[in-house]
């Protein structure tokens, strides 16, 4: 269980770290994948808000670093969960082609919740 937790937290942390770094350094892929009309509308709304995409990517960067640092992984898993859930729901409703990979990310996040459940008990107790 301990080795699986380490592997999953490093994989999830690396995924979020490598998803956020290109945004801040403006290293975008040469060719973006084709998007449907609904996806384009959604992404236009997020970019039009100006602050939302940097907030999302900043949270991904911080949570990815926290996940890679073993001591702060429970905080990183908690911090990144809303973003993981939103990515899953985005793909469930707007782009089901990548849904299996995103479902794995959500499962990884839930697994980390289970693995670190003892760390979260003080939050839940009165």
């Amino acid at each position: 269980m301990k080795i699986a937790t380490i592997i999953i937290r490093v994989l999830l942390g690396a995924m979020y770290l490598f998803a956020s770094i290109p945004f801040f350094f403006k290293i975008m892929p040469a060719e973006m994948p084709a998007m449907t009309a609904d996806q384009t509308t959604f992404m236009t709304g997020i970019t039009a808000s100006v602050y939302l995409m940097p907030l999302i990517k900043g949270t991904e960067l911080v949570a990815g670093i926290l996940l890679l640092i073993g001591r702060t992984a429970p905080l990183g898993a908690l911090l990144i969960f809303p973003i993981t859930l939103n990515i899953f729901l985005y793909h469930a409703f707007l782009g089901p082609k990548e849904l299996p990979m995103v479902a794995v990310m959500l499962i990884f996040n839930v697994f980390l919740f289970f693995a670190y459940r003892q760390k979260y008990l003080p939050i839940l107790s009165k």
Side-chain angles (χ1 to χ4, degrees):
M1 177 81 167
K2 185 176 182 178
I3 293 174
T5 303
I6 292 170
I7 291 170
I8 286 175
R9 80 170 168 79
V10 168
L11 283 174
L12 193 62
M15 278 192 268
Y16 279 113
L17 196 63
F18 292 124
S20 61
I21 289 175
F23 176 80
F24 290 111
F25 287 113
K26 308 289 188 232
I27 311 169
M28 297 299 171
E31 202 173 297
M32 294 296 289
M35 293 194 295
T36 65
D38 290 338
Q39 288 174 325
T40 304
T41 303
F42 182 83
M43 293 308 289
T44 302
I46 286 180
T47 52
S49 69
V50 180
Y51 76 94
L52 196 54
M53 190 57 85
L55 176 67
I56 293 168
K57 292 299 181 180
T59 305
E60 286 180 2
L61 180 68
V62 169
I65 292 169
L66 289 173
L67 284 169
L68 291 175
I69 300 170
R71 188 171 179 88
T72 58
L75 177 61
L78 193 63
L79 185 65
I80 202 63
F81 182 72
I83 293 177
T84 305
L85 183 60
N86 277 296
I87 292 170
F88 176 78
L89 292 173
Y90 168 84
H91 286 287
F93 289 102
L94 298 176
K97 189 173 84 171
E98 288 91 17
L99 192 59
M101 185 190 75
V102 177
V104 168
M105 290 171 62
L106 184 63
I107 291 168
F108 280 2
N109 210 157
V110 171
F111 175 83
L112 289 177
F113 280 155
F114 177 75
Y116 297 128
R117 66 189 175 280
Q118 294 299 321
K119 304 282 185 184
Y120 302 127
L121 288 178
I123 298 171
L124 301 173
S125 66
K126 284 188 175 184

